[in-house]
mmCIF file of all heavy atoms in Angstrom:
data_model
loop_
_atom_site.group_PDB
_atom_site.id
_atom_site.type_symbol
_atom_site.label_atom_id
_atom_site.label_comp_id
_atom_site.label_asym_id
_atom_site.label_seq_id
_atom_site.Cartn_x
_atom_site.Cartn_y
_atom_site.Cartn_z
ATOM 1 N N SER A 199 1.200 0.438 9.841
ATOM 2 C CA SER A 199 1.333 -0.284 11.110
ATOM 3 C C SER A 199 0.793 0.509 12.293
ATOM 4 O O SER A 199 1.209 0.314 13.435
ATOM 5 C CB SER A 199 2.804 -0.663 11.365
ATOM 6 O OG SER A 199 3.290 -1.481 10.322
ATOM 7 N N ILE A 200 -0.141 1.414 12.046
ATOM 8 C CA ILE A 200 -0.776 2.174 13.118
ATOM 9 C C ILE A 200 -1.575 1.208 13.996
ATOM 10 O O ILE A 200 -2.342 0.393 13.502
ATOM 11 C CB ILE A 200 -1.685 3.270 12.542
ATOM 12 C CG1 ILE A 200 -0.829 4.346 11.866
ATOM 13 C CG2 ILE A 200 -2.574 3.893 13.614
ATOM 14 C CD1 ILE A 200 -1.631 5.394 11.136
ATOM 15 N N GLY A 201 -1.396 1.302 15.316
ATOM 16 C CA GLY A 201 -2.123 0.443 16.242
ATOM 17 C C GLY A 201 -1.610 -0.973 16.317
ATOM 18 O O GLY A 201 -2.265 -1.840 16.903
ATOM 19 N N LEU A 202 -0.430 -1.236 15.746
ATOM 20 C CA LEU A 202 0.116 -2.605 15.722
ATOM 21 C C LEU A 202 0.880 -2.887 17.006
ATOM 22 O O LEU A 202 1.681 -2.070 17.459
ATOM 23 C CB LEU A 202 1.024 -2.773 14.506
ATOM 24 C CG LEU A 202 1.667 -4.150 14.295
ATOM 25 C CD1 LEU A 202 1.776 -4.450 12.811
ATOM 26 C CD2 LEU A 202 3.060 -4.199 14.931
ATOM 27 N N THR A 203 0.633 -4.056 17.608
ATOM 28 C CA THR A 203 1.367 -4.487 18.792
ATOM 29 C C THR A 203 1.659 -5.983 18.695
ATOM 30 O O THR A 203 1.032 -6.701 17.923
ATOM 31 C CB THR A 203 0.572 -4.223 20.087
ATOM 32 O OG1 THR A 203 -0.698 -4.888 20.001
ATOM 33 C CG2 THR A 203 0.355 -2.741 20.316
ATOM 34 N N LYS A 204 2.592 -6.422 19.530
ATOM 35 C CA LYS A 204 2.909 -7.843 19.648
ATOM 36 C C LYS A 204 2.536 -8.296 21.047
ATOM 37 O O LYS A 204 2.838 -7.616 22.030
ATOM 38 C CB LYS A 204 4.398 -8.082 19.395
ATOM 39 C CG LYS A 204 4.824 -9.543 19.456
ATOM 40 C CD LYS A 204 6.326 -9.658 19.240
ATOM 41 C CE LYS A 204 6.810 -11.096 19.397
ATOM 42 N NZ LYS A 204 8.289 -11.208 19.277
ATOM 43 N N ALA A 205 1.838 -9.433 21.161
ATOM 44 C CA ALA A 205 1.378 -9.933 22.453
ATOM 45 C C ALA A 205 1.966 -11.313 22.715
ATOM 46 O O ALA A 205 1.956 -12.179 21.841
ATOM 47 C CB ALA A 205 -0.146 -9.997 22.495
ATOM 48 N N ASP A 206 2.437 -11.496 23.948
ATOM 49 C CA ASP A 206 3.046 -12.771 24.341
ATOM 50 C C ASP A 206 2.185 -13.564 25.313
ATOM 51 O O ASP A 206 2.529 -14.697 25.658
ATOM 52 C CB ASP A 206 4.418 -12.525 24.978
ATOM 53 C CG ASP A 206 5.392 -11.917 23.984
ATOM 54 O OD1 ASP A 206 5.600 -12.513 22.914
ATOM 55 O OD2 ASP A 206 5.928 -10.832 24.274
ATOM 56 N N ASP A 207 1.085 -12.976 25.783
ATOM 57 C CA ASP A 207 0.212 -13.673 26.711
ATOM 58 C C ASP A 207 -1.181 -13.054 26.638
ATOM 59 O O ASP A 207 -1.422 -12.109 25.884
ATOM 60 C CB ASP A 207 0.765 -13.604 28.139
ATOM 61 C CG ASP A 207 1.097 -12.178 28.582
ATOM 62 O OD1 ASP A 207 0.405 -11.233 28.132
ATOM 63 O OD2 ASP A 207 2.048 -12.008 29.361
ATOM 64 N N LEU A 208 -2.107 -13.576 27.445
ATOM 65 C CA LEU A 208 -3.491 -13.127 27.381
ATOM 66 C C LEU A 208 -3.639 -11.654 27.753
ATOM 67 O O LEU A 208 -4.390 -10.916 27.103
ATOM 68 C CB LEU A 208 -4.361 -13.990 28.299
ATOM 69 C CG LEU A 208 -5.870 -13.706 28.252
ATOM 70 C CD1 LEU A 208 -6.431 -13.990 26.866
ATOM 71 C CD2 LEU A 208 -6.605 -14.545 29.314
ATOM 72 N N ALA A 209 -2.901 -11.218 28.782
ATOM 73 C CA ALA A 209 -2.993 -9.815 29.189
ATOM 74 C C ALA A 209 -2.503 -8.895 28.068
ATOM 75 O O ALA A 209 -3.118 -7.865 27.776
ATOM 76 C CB ALA A 209 -2.182 -9.587 30.466
ATOM 77 N N GLY A 210 -1.394 -9.274 27.442
ATOM 78 C CA GLY A 210 -0.877 -8.480 26.336
ATOM 79 C C GLY A 210 -1.821 -8.490 25.148
ATOM 80 O O GLY A 210 -1.964 -7.490 24.440
ATOM 81 N N LEU A 211 -2.467 -9.620 24.937
ATOM 82 C CA LEU A 211 -3.434 -9.731 23.840
ATOM 83 C C LEU A 211 -4.596 -8.769 24.056
ATOM 84 O O LEU A 211 -5.019 -8.069 23.126
ATOM 85 C CB LEU A 211 -3.937 -11.169 23.737
ATOM 86 C CG LEU A 211 -5.059 -11.439 22.734
ATOM 87 C CD1 LEU A 211 -4.619 -11.095 21.316
ATOM 88 C CD2 LEU A 211 -5.499 -12.901 22.818
ATOM 89 N N GLU A 212 -5.106 -8.733 25.277
ATOM 90 C CA GLU A 212 -6.217 -7.830 25.569
ATOM 91 C C GLU A 212 -5.799 -6.376 25.375
ATOM 92 O O GLU A 212 -6.543 -5.580 24.786
ATOM 93 C CB GLU A 212 -6.728 -8.038 26.990
ATOM 94 C CG GLU A 212 -7.915 -7.143 27.328
ATOM 95 C CD GLU A 212 -8.500 -7.414 28.695
ATOM 96 O OE1 GLU A 212 -8.096 -8.407 29.337
ATOM 97 O OE2 GLU A 212 -9.367 -6.620 29.123
ATOM 98 N N ARG A 213 -4.607 -6.020 25.854
ATOM 99 C CA ARG A 213 -4.120 -4.649 25.659
ATOM 100 C C ARG A 213 -3.970 -4.330 24.179
ATOM 101 O O ARG A 213 -4.328 -3.238 23.715
ATOM 102 C CB ARG A 213 -2.770 -4.467 26.358
ATOM 103 C CG ARG A 213 -2.855 -4.408 27.874
ATOM 104 C CD ARG A 213 -1.551 -3.877 28.461
ATOM 105 N NE ARG A 213 -0.424 -4.741 28.120
ATOM 106 C CZ ARG A 213 -0.021 -5.774 28.867
ATOM 107 N NH1 ARG A 213 -0.684 -6.084 29.987
ATOM 108 N NH2 ARG A 213 1.033 -6.497 28.494
ATOM 109 N N GLY A 214 -3.445 -5.283 23.411
ATOM 110 C CA GLY A 214 -3.262 -5.069 21.982
ATOM 111 C C GLY A 214 -4.570 -4.882 21.247
ATOM 112 O O GLY A 214 -4.693 -4.027 20.373
ATOM 113 N N ILE A 215 -5.562 -5.692 21.599
ATOM 114 C CA ILE A 215 -6.872 -5.573 20.958
ATOM 115 C C ILE A 215 -7.512 -4.229 21.285
ATOM 116 O O ILE A 215 -8.072 -3.556 20.423
ATOM 117 C CB ILE A 215 -7.783 -6.742 21.376
ATOM 118 C CG1 ILE A 215 -7.265 -8.047 20.760
ATOM 119 C CG2 ILE A 215 -9.225 -6.487 20.941
ATOM 120 C CD1 ILE A 215 -8.028 -9.287 21.200
ATOM 121 N N ARG A 216 -7.419 -3.818 22.565
ATOM 122 C CA ARG A 216 -7.980 -2.514 22.942
ATOM 123 C C ARG A 216 -7.278 -1.382 22.194
ATOM 124 O O ARG A 216 -7.920 -0.420 21.761
ATOM 125 C CB ARG A 216 -7.864 -2.313 24.452
ATOM 126 C CG ARG A 216 -8.779 -3.231 25.268
ATOM 127 C CD ARG A 216 -8.812 -2.838 26.725
ATOM 128 N NE ARG A 216 -9.613 -3.774 27.510
ATOM 129 C CZ ARG A 216 -10.941 -3.745 27.582
ATOM 130 N NH1 ARG A 216 -11.615 -2.811 26.911
ATOM 131 N NH2 ARG A 216 -11.591 -4.633 28.318
ATOM 132 N N ALA A 217 -5.967 -1.494 22.016
ATOM 133 C CA ALA A 217 -5.229 -0.473 21.273
ATOM 134 C C ALA A 217 -5.670 -0.443 19.807
ATOM 135 O O ALA A 217 -5.846 0.626 19.218
ATOM 136 C CB ALA A 217 -3.728 -0.732 21.368
ATOM 137 N N ALA A 218 -5.863 -1.622 19.211
ATOM 138 C CA ALA A 218 -6.306 -1.689 17.818
ATOM 139 C C ALA A 218 -7.714 -1.141 17.654
ATOM 140 O O ALA A 218 -8.030 -0.479 16.659
ATOM 141 C CB ALA A 218 -6.234 -3.128 17.316
ATOM 142 N N LEU A 219 -8.571 -1.396 18.663
ATOM 143 C CA LEU A 219 -9.962 -0.943 18.592
ATOM 144 C C LEU A 219 -10.092 0.570 18.726
ATOM 145 O O LEU A 219 -11.162 1.129 18.457
ATOM 146 C CB LEU A 219 -10.802 -1.636 19.664
ATOM 147 C CG LEU A 219 -11.002 -3.145 19.470
ATOM 148 C CD1 LEU A 219 -11.784 -3.736 20.638
ATOM 149 C CD2 LEU A 219 -11.720 -3.436 18.149
ATOM 150 N N GLU A 220 -9.029 1.247 19.104
ATOM 151 C CA GLU A 220 -9.040 2.704 19.111
ATOM 152 C C GLU A 220 -9.027 3.253 17.689
ATOM 153 O O GLU A 220 -9.368 4.411 17.461
ATOM 154 C CB GLU A 220 -7.834 3.245 19.881
ATOM 155 C CG GLU A 220 -7.885 2.964 21.375
ATOM 156 C CD GLU A 220 -6.667 3.502 22.095
ATOM 157 O OE1 GLU A 220 -5.850 4.180 21.433
ATOM 158 O OE2 GLU A 220 -6.538 3.258 23.307
ATOM 159 N N HIS A 221 -8.631 2.417 16.741
ATOM 160 C CA HIS A 221 -8.532 2.842 15.346
ATOM 161 C C HIS A 221 -9.558 2.176 14.440
ATOM 162 O O HIS A 221 -9.718 2.570 13.282
ATOM 163 C CB HIS A 221 -7.128 2.530 14.808
ATOM 164 C CG HIS A 221 -6.023 3.134 15.603
ATOM 165 N ND1 HIS A 221 -5.614 4.444 15.435
ATOM 166 C CD2 HIS A 221 -5.251 2.610 16.595
ATOM 167 C CE1 HIS A 221 -4.622 4.695 16.280
ATOM 168 N NE2 HIS A 221 -4.383 3.604 16.988
ATOM 169 N N ASP A 222 -10.246 1.156 14.942
ATOM 170 C CA ASP A 222 -11.133 0.362 14.094
ATOM 171 C C ASP A 222 -12.147 -0.353 14.982
ATOM 172 O O ASP A 222 -11.898 -0.559 16.173
ATOM 173 C CB ASP A 222 -10.303 -0.668 13.303
ATOM 174 C CG ASP A 222 -11.018 -1.184 12.065
ATOM 175 O OD1 ASP A 222 -12.139 -1.711 12.204
ATOM 176 O OD2 ASP A 222 -10.457 -1.058 10.970
ATOM 177 N N ARG A 223 -13.256 -0.772 14.393
ATOM 178 C CA ARG A 223 -14.244 -1.547 15.151
ATOM 179 C C ARG A 223 -13.842 -3.005 15.268
ATOM 180 O O ARG A 223 -14.433 -3.761 16.047
ATOM 181 C CB ARG A 223 -15.614 -1.443 14.467
ATOM 182 C CG ARG A 223 -16.265 -0.081 14.587
ATOM 183 C CD ARG A 223 -17.592 -0.056 13.882
ATOM 184 N NE ARG A 223 -17.446 -0.289 12.442
ATOM 185 C CZ ARG A 223 -18.463 -0.521 11.622
ATOM 186 N NH1 ARG A 223 -19.696 -0.608 12.098
ATOM 187 N NH2 ARG A 223 -18.250 -0.701 10.330
ATOM 188 N N PHE A 224 -12.861 -3.417 14.480
ATOM 189 C CA PHE A 224 -12.404 -4.806 14.486
ATOM 190 C C PHE A 224 -10.890 -4.841 14.655
ATOM 191 O O PHE A 224 -10.170 -4.030 14.068
ATOM 192 C CB PHE A 224 -12.771 -5.523 13.181
ATOM 193 C CG PHE A 224 -14.245 -5.517 12.875
ATOM 194 C CD1 PHE A 224 -14.804 -4.487 12.130
ATOM 195 C CD2 PHE A 224 -15.068 -6.535 13.328
ATOM 196 C CE1 PHE A 224 -16.159 -4.477 11.844
ATOM 197 C CE2 PHE A 224 -16.418 -6.528 13.054
ATOM 198 C CZ PHE A 224 -16.972 -5.497 12.306
#
Side-chain angles (χ1 to χ4, degrees):
S199 301
I200 291 174
L202 181 145
T203 57
K204 182 182 176 184
D206 296 304
D207 52 32
L208 185 63
L211 174 61
E212 182 176 352
R213 287 194 299 270
I215 291 175
R216 291 190 184 279
L219 292 177
E220 292 179 6
H221 304 278
D222 201 303
R223 289 179 297 169
F224 303 90

